[in-house]
Amino acid sequence: MTAQKSAAIMQGKRTATATAAQRTADHGDQKGEVNMTTPNTGELLVQQAQEAERLRLLILADECKTIEEFREKLRERLNK
């Protein structure tokens, strides 16, 4: 098999895979397929917990006047 023919076969495989992925993305899941991009309940809860913690840290940082004060408050939270 020539390198050119091999490259053409690989390109065809990539195109077919991309087309199938686009079809699923455009029209929802095909019967019997599992949409792996939709997070499950546990993953959503983890995302929400991480976001809440990030926001708490941002609020705490905003309340502090210096980085040293912020670090001290973080140490206090860790030692509770």
Side-chain angles (χ1 to χ4, degrees), residues 18-79:
T19 303
Q22 186 62 38
R23 184 175 58 247
T24 300
D26 288 346
H27 304 293
D29 293 338
Q30 301 296 318
K31 185 176 181 180
E33 289 184 3
V34 176
N35 184 351
M36 298 302 289
T37 60
T38 303
N40 64 32
T41 304
E43 291 168 334
L44 289 173
L45 288 172
V46 168
Q47 288 175 358
Q48 290 298 311
Q50 289 172 339
E51 180 69 10
E53 182 63 17
R54 186 183 72 79
L55 291 174
R56 282 191 290 271
L57 290 173
L58 286 172
I59 290 168
L60 181 65
D62 191 49
E63 293 170 350
C64 297
K65 293 182 176 149
T66 64
I67 189 70
E68 289 80 18
E69 182 183 359
F70 180 59
R71 287 178 181 157
E72 183 59 35
K73 291 196 180 213
L74 285 176
R75 280 188 203 100
E76 289 171 7
R77 286 179 67 162
L78 287 173
N79 293 328

